[in-house]
Amino acid sequence: MMEFNNLDGFLTEKGDKLYDTSNRSMRYGDGIFETIKLVNGELLFWDDHYERLLKGMQHLKLDTIGKEKDFWKKEIDKVVVKNYFTNARIRIIVYRNSPGTYTPMGNRIGFLIEGTRFDKPDYNYSKQGLTLGLFEGDHKGMSPLNNLKTTSALLFVLAGVYKKESELDDVVVLNAAGRVCETVSSNIFAVVNNKVITPKLSEGCLDGVMRKQMIKAIKQQELDFEEGELTLNELREANEIFTTNSMVGVQGISQFEGRSKDFSVVKKLQSYLDSVLQ
Protein backbone atom coordinates (compact mmCIF):
# COMPACT_ATOMS: atom_id res chain seq x y z
CA MET A 1 0.00 0.00 0.00
CA MET A 2 1.33 3.42 -0.96
CA GLU A 3 2.20 5.62 2.03
CA PHE A 4 2.51 9.39 2.28
CA ASN A 5 4.61 12.06 4.01
CA ASN A 6 3.65 15.64 4.80
CA LEU A 7 6.13 18.10 3.30
CA ASP A 8 5.36 21.71 4.23
CA GLY A 9 1.64 20.95 4.45
CA PHE A 10 1.39 18.95 1.21
CA LEU A 11 1.03 15.16 1.09
CA THR A 12 3.69 13.48 -1.04
CA GLU A 13 4.25 9.81 -1.79
CA LYS A 14 7.05 8.14 0.13
CA GLY A 15 9.96 7.83 -2.26
CA ASP A 16 9.31 11.19 -3.93
CA LYS A 17 12.14 13.73 -3.95
CA LEU A 18 11.90 15.81 -0.78
CA TYR A 19 14.83 18.23 -0.71
CA ASP A 20 17.24 19.99 -3.01
CA THR A 21 20.95 20.41 -2.30
CA SER A 22 20.43 23.74 -0.54
CA ASN A 23 18.49 22.18 2.35
CA ARG A 24 20.05 23.53 5.55
CA SER A 25 19.19 20.48 7.62
CA MET A 26 21.25 18.36 5.23
CA ARG A 27 24.05 20.92 4.81
CA TYR A 28 24.47 22.19 8.36
CA GLY A 29 22.28 20.09 10.65
CA ASP A 30 20.20 23.26 11.03
CA GLY A 31 17.03 21.73 12.43
CA ILE A 32 15.33 19.78 15.19
CA PHE A 33 13.04 16.78 15.32
CA GLU A 34 10.50 15.00 17.50
CA THR A 35 9.60 11.31 17.53
CA ILE A 36 6.14 10.60 18.92
CA LYS A 37 4.38 7.32 19.61
CA LEU A 38 0.86 6.99 18.18
CA VAL A 39 -1.20 4.34 20.02
CA ASN A 40 -4.79 3.58 19.07
CA GLY A 41 -4.88 6.83 17.13
CA GLU A 42 -3.69 8.97 20.05
CA LEU A 43 -0.36 10.80 20.31
CA LEU A 44 1.18 9.81 23.64
CA PHE A 45 2.51 12.68 25.77
CA TRP A 46 1.69 15.13 22.98
CA ASP A 47 1.78 18.19 25.27
CA ASP A 48 5.34 17.36 26.35
CA HIS A 49 6.49 16.74 22.78
CA TYR A 50 4.99 20.01 21.58
CA GLU A 51 6.55 21.92 24.47
CA ARG A 52 10.00 20.56 23.60
CA LEU A 53 9.47 21.24 19.88
CA LEU A 54 8.52 24.85 20.60
CA LYS A 55 11.45 25.28 23.00
CA GLY A 56 13.81 23.92 20.35
CA MET A 57 12.45 26.19 17.63
CA GLN A 58 12.83 29.19 19.91
CA HIS A 59 16.38 28.21 20.86
CA LEU A 60 17.35 27.90 17.18
CA LYS A 61 15.56 31.21 16.49
CA LEU A 62 13.22 29.61 13.97
CA ASP A 63 9.98 31.38 13.05
CA THR A 64 7.19 30.14 15.35
CA ILE A 65 4.45 32.57 14.23
CA GLY A 66 1.33 30.59 13.35
CA LYS A 67 2.99 27.33 14.40
CA GLU A 68 1.09 26.69 17.63
CA LYS A 69 0.06 23.30 18.99
CA ASP A 70 -3.14 23.09 16.91
CA PHE A 71 -1.17 23.74 13.71
CA TRP A 72 1.17 20.81 14.33
CA LYS A 73 -1.65 18.51 15.41
CA LYS A 74 -3.53 19.18 12.16
CA GLU A 75 -0.41 18.56 10.08
CA ILE A 76 0.27 15.28 11.91
CA ASP A 77 -3.37 14.24 11.42
CA LYS A 78 -2.95 14.59 7.65
CA VAL A 79 -0.34 11.81 7.74
CA VAL A 80 -2.27 9.67 10.23
CA VAL A 81 -5.55 9.84 8.29
CA LYS A 82 -4.05 9.46 4.80
CA ASN A 83 -2.02 6.40 5.83
CA TYR A 84 -4.77 4.86 8.00
CA PHE A 85 -2.35 4.76 10.93
CA THR A 86 -3.57 3.35 14.24
CA ASN A 87 -0.23 2.54 15.86
CA ALA A 88 2.80 4.29 14.42
CA ARG A 89 6.06 6.09 15.03
CA ILE A 90 5.54 9.73 13.99
CA ARG A 91 8.57 11.87 13.25
CA ILE A 92 8.51 15.66 12.77
CA ILE A 93 11.58 17.37 11.31
CA VAL A 94 11.64 21.19 11.40
CA TYR A 95 14.47 23.04 9.68
CA ARG A 96 15.45 26.56 8.67
CA ASN A 97 14.29 27.01 5.08
CA SER A 98 16.26 30.12 4.13
CA PRO A 99 19.28 30.68 1.87
CA GLY A 100 22.72 31.48 3.20
CA THR A 101 25.80 29.63 4.39
CA TYR A 102 26.58 29.40 8.11
CA THR A 103 24.81 32.74 8.47
CA PRO A 104 21.21 32.30 7.25
CA MET A 105 19.38 35.09 5.46
CA GLY A 106 16.15 34.36 7.33
CA ASN A 107 14.45 32.12 9.86
CA ARG A 108 11.37 30.80 8.07
CA ILE A 109 10.86 27.08 8.45
CA GLY A 110 10.24 23.99 6.39
CA PHE A 111 9.02 20.72 7.85
CA LEU A 112 8.57 17.05 7.09
CA ILE A 113 6.22 14.71 8.95
CA GLU A 114 6.50 10.98 8.33
CA GLY A 115 5.21 7.84 9.99
CA THR A 116 6.12 4.17 10.32
CA ARG A 117 3.41 1.76 11.40
CA PHE A 118 3.96 -0.96 13.98
CA ASP A 119 1.83 -3.80 15.34
CA LYS A 120 2.67 -3.89 19.07
CA PRO A 121 1.82 -0.58 20.75
CA ASP A 122 2.47 -1.65 24.35
CA TYR A 123 5.43 -0.56 26.43
CA ASN A 124 7.08 -3.83 27.46
CA TYR A 125 10.50 -4.05 29.02
CA SER A 126 12.82 -6.88 28.01
CA LYS A 127 12.59 -9.57 30.69
CA GLN A 128 16.19 -10.64 30.09
CA GLY A 129 17.39 -7.04 30.14
CA LEU A 130 19.85 -5.21 27.90
CA THR A 131 23.63 -5.37 27.76
CA LEU A 132 25.29 -1.99 28.22
CA GLY A 133 28.82 -0.90 27.37
CA LEU A 134 30.84 2.31 27.41
CA PHE A 135 31.54 4.47 24.36
CA GLU A 136 34.96 6.00 24.98
CA GLY A 137 35.13 8.07 21.81
CA ASP A 138 33.89 11.65 21.61
CA HIS A 139 32.08 13.22 24.56
CA LYS A 140 28.89 15.28 24.53
CA GLY A 141 28.79 19.02 25.22
CA MET A 142 27.00 20.48 28.23
CA SER A 143 25.26 23.59 26.87
CA PRO A 144 21.45 24.00 26.65
CA LEU A 145 21.70 23.17 22.93
CA ASN A 146 22.56 19.60 23.94
CA ASN A 147 19.18 19.21 25.67
CA LEU A 148 17.47 19.42 22.25
CA LYS A 149 16.93 16.79 19.54
CA THR A 150 18.82 18.42 16.69
CA THR A 151 19.37 17.01 13.22
CA SER A 152 23.11 17.05 13.88
CA ALA A 153 23.69 13.67 15.56
CA LEU A 154 27.17 12.50 14.56
CA LEU A 155 28.16 11.68 18.14
CA PHE A 156 25.27 9.23 18.44
CA VAL A 157 25.94 7.76 15.01
CA LEU A 158 29.51 6.99 16.10
CA ALA A 159 28.28 5.58 19.41
CA GLY A 160 25.79 3.45 17.47
CA VAL A 161 28.55 2.14 15.19
CA TYR A 162 30.60 1.19 18.26
CA LYS A 163 27.54 -0.49 19.84
CA LYS A 164 27.02 -2.60 16.73
CA GLU A 165 30.69 -3.52 16.39
CA SER A 166 30.79 -4.51 20.08
CA GLU A 167 27.56 -6.56 19.81
CA LEU A 168 25.92 -4.64 22.66
CA ASP A 169 22.33 -3.49 23.09
CA ASP A 170 23.32 0.05 24.08
CA VAL A 171 26.31 2.14 25.19
CA VAL A 172 26.86 4.97 27.65
CA VAL A 173 27.83 8.37 26.25
CA LEU A 174 29.88 10.61 28.57
CA ASN A 175 29.74 14.39 28.77
CA ALA A 176 32.62 16.85 28.42
CA ALA A 177 33.41 16.48 32.14
CA GLY A 178 33.75 12.70 31.77
CA ARG A 179 30.53 11.97 33.68
CA VAL A 180 27.60 9.80 32.58
CA CYS A 181 25.27 11.70 30.23
CA GLU A 182 22.93 9.29 28.38
CA THR A 183 23.00 6.38 25.91
CA VAL A 184 22.69 6.20 22.12
CA SER A 185 18.96 6.95 22.09
CA SER A 186 17.84 7.07 25.72
CA ASN A 187 18.16 8.85 29.03
CA ILE A 188 19.78 6.84 31.81
CA PHE A 189 18.96 6.26 35.49
CA ALA A 190 20.89 4.36 38.17
CA VAL A 191 20.01 3.13 41.65
CA VAL A 192 23.00 3.96 43.87
CA ASN A 193 22.80 3.23 47.62
CA ASN A 194 18.99 2.99 47.37
CA LYS A 195 18.73 6.38 45.64
CA VAL A 196 17.59 6.77 42.02
CA ILE A 197 19.91 9.19 40.20
CA THR A 198 19.66 10.61 36.70
CA PRO A 199 21.92 13.26 35.15
CA LYS A 200 20.52 16.78 35.48
CA LEU A 201 19.93 18.74 32.28
CA SER A 202 23.00 20.92 32.84
CA GLU A 203 25.06 17.73 32.39
CA GLY A 204 24.13 17.89 28.68
CA CYS A 205 21.57 15.09 28.47
CA LEU A 206 18.47 15.18 26.30
CA ASP A 207 15.41 16.74 27.93
CA GLY A 208 13.57 13.48 27.31
CA VAL A 209 9.79 13.18 27.29
CA MET A 210 9.90 9.70 28.84
CA ARG A 211 12.55 10.93 31.28
CA LYS A 212 10.00 13.46 32.53
CA GLN A 213 7.33 10.76 32.86
CA MET A 214 9.67 8.44 34.76
CA ILE A 215 10.68 11.21 37.17
CA LYS A 216 6.97 11.74 37.85
CA ALA A 217 6.49 7.99 38.41
CA ILE A 218 9.54 7.75 40.70
CA LYS A 219 8.18 10.57 42.86
CA GLN A 220 4.74 8.92 42.97
CA GLN A 221 6.44 5.75 44.22
CA GLU A 222 8.07 7.92 46.93
CA LEU A 223 11.52 6.62 46.04
CA ASP A 224 14.60 8.58 47.08
CA PHE A 225 15.51 10.53 43.96
CA GLU A 226 18.08 13.02 42.69
CA GLU A 227 18.75 14.86 39.44
CA GLY A 228 22.46 15.46 39.69
CA GLU A 229 25.87 14.28 38.56
CA LEU A 230 26.37 10.57 37.88
CA THR A 231 29.94 9.31 37.75
CA LEU A 232 31.16 6.29 35.86
CA ASN A 233 32.22 4.62 39.11
CA GLU A 234 28.72 5.12 40.54
CA LEU A 235 27.23 3.55 37.43
CA ARG A 236 29.54 0.56 37.75
CA GLU A 237 28.62 0.07 41.41
CA ALA A 238 24.88 0.72 40.94
CA ASN A 239 22.45 -2.00 41.99
CA GLU A 240 20.20 -1.19 39.06
CA ILE A 241 20.45 0.73 35.78
CA PHE A 242 17.63 1.52 33.38
CA THR A 243 17.10 3.63 30.28
CA THR A 244 14.05 5.50 29.00
CA ASN A 245 12.75 6.87 25.72
CA SER A 246 9.33 7.68 24.33
CA MET A 247 9.19 4.78 21.88
CA VAL A 248 10.20 1.82 24.07
CA GLY A 249 9.39 3.16 27.54
CA VAL A 250 11.69 1.89 30.28
CA GLN A 251 14.31 -0.83 29.75
CA GLY A 252 16.33 -2.53 32.46
CA ILE A 253 20.04 -3.17 32.07
CA SER A 254 21.02 -6.74 32.95
CA GLN A 255 24.77 -6.20 32.53
CA PHE A 256 27.09 -3.21 32.40
CA GLU A 257 30.68 -4.05 31.51
CA GLY A 258 30.00 -7.63 32.58
CA ARG A 259 28.48 -6.71 35.98
CA SER A 260 24.95 -8.01 36.62
CA LYS A 261 22.18 -5.61 37.65
CA ASP A 262 18.77 -5.85 39.34
CA PHE A 263 15.29 -5.04 37.92
CA SER A 264 13.16 -4.12 40.94
CA VAL A 265 12.58 -0.40 40.19
CA VAL A 266 12.01 -1.11 36.48
CA LYS A 267 9.09 -3.39 37.36
CA LYS A 268 7.46 -0.62 39.40
CA LEU A 269 7.88 1.91 36.60
CA GLN A 270 6.51 -0.53 34.04
CA SER A 271 3.28 -0.65 36.05
CA TYR A 272 3.02 3.13 35.70
CA LEU A 273 3.40 2.91 31.91
CA ASP A 274 0.79 0.15 31.74
CA SER A 275 -1.66 2.49 33.48
CA VAL A 276 -0.95 5.23 30.91
CA LEU A 277 -2.13 2.99 28.07
CA GLN A 278 -5.31 1.83 29.81
Side-chain angles (χ1 to χ4, degrees), residues 14 35 40 66 68 81 96 143 154 176 186 191 195 197 209 215 221 252-253 255 259 264 272:
K14 283 191 174 181
T35 306
N40 297 324
E68 290 80 16
V81 172
R96 200 182 320 268
S143 76
L154 280 176
S186 301
V191 182
K195 177 187 288 187
I197 303 174
V209 167
I215 290 174
Q221 296 282 344
I253 302 300
Q255 287 195 358
R259 303 184 187 199
S264 58
Y272 170 82

Side-chain angles (χ1 to χ4, degrees), residues 66-220:
K67 303 300 186 292
E68 290 80 16
K69 188 192 300 185
D70 288 346
F71 168 84
W72 291 113
K73 183 63 168 58
K74 289 177 182 177
E75 295 301 327
I76 293 170
D77 284 346
K78 290 179 183 178
V79 173
V80 172
V81 172
K82 184 66 175 179
N83 292 298
Y84 301 98
F85 285 150
T86 300
N87 303 309
R89 175 191 181 105
I90 304 296
R91 180 180 170 96
I92 309 173
I93 305 171
V94 183
Y95 53 91
R96 200 182 320 268
N97 192 20
S98 299
T101 52
Y102 284 121
T103 304
M105 296 177 65
N107 297 312
R108 63 188 176 90
I109 69 163
F111 66 87
L112 172 68
I113 302 174
E114 57 185 351
T116 305
R117 69 180 74 246
F118 55 78
D119 297 325
K120 296 181 179 180
D122 294 343
Y123 285 119
N124 287 313
Y125 72 93
S126 170
K127 298 298 190 295
Q128 68 266 26
L130 307 181
T131 57
L132 183 68
L134 174 64
F135 176 60
E136 298 186 84
D138 299 280
H139 292 185
K140 193 179 183 188
M142 298 167 64
S143 76
L145 182 63
N146 292 284
N147 301 145
L148 306 177
K149 299 188 78 167
T150 73
T151 56
S152 178
L154 280 176
L155 171 62
F156 298 103
V157 171
L158 292 174
V161 169
Y162 174 78
K163 176 189 76 170
K164 183 178 180 181
E165 291 175 345
S166 303
E167 298 183 342
L168 295 163
D169 294 315
D170 209 344
V171 292
V172 173
V173 173
L174 303 178
N175 65 18
R179 293 187 291 268
V180 174
C181 187
E182 56 199 357
T183 71
V184 173
S185 59
S186 301
N187 289 109
I188 190 167
F189 293 72
V191 182
V192 182
N193 296 325
N194 296 316
K195 177 187 288 187
V196 182
I197 303 174
T198 195
K200 56 187 176 181
L201 295 181
S202 59
E203 289 289 279
C205 66
L206 176 70
D207 187 5
V209 167
M210 188 56 67
R211 174 185 183 273
K212 182 183 292 186
Q213 292 298 319
M214 289 300 97
I215 290 174
K216 183 189 302 183
I218 288 166
K219 291 179 178 178
Q220 286 180 358

Side-chain angles (χ1 to χ4, degrees), residues 5 20 26 49 86 132 195 224 228 234 241 254 275:
N5 297 322
D20 60 32
M26 182 174 66
H49 281 288
T86 300
L132 183 68
K195 177 187 288 187
D224 193 8
E234 286 175 323
I241 303 171
S254 58
S275 69

Side-chain angles (χ1 to χ4, degrees), residues 1-21:
M1 182 175 70
M2 180 61 66
E3 293 190 346
F4 295 83
N5 297 322
N6 180 344
L7 179 64
D8 296 332
F10 298 96
L11 291 170
T12 62
E13 292 184 2
K14 283 191 174 181
D16 285 355
K17 176 185 174 182
L18 296 176
Y19 306 128
D20 60 32
T21 57

Side-chain angles (χ1 to χ4, degrees), residues 23-32 60 94-95 150-153:
N23 180 271
R24 294 187 60 85
S25 181
M26 182 174 66
R27 281 194 169 193
Y28 306 113
D30 187 5
I32 56 173
L60 296 188
V94 183
Y95 53 91
T150 73
T151 56
S152 178

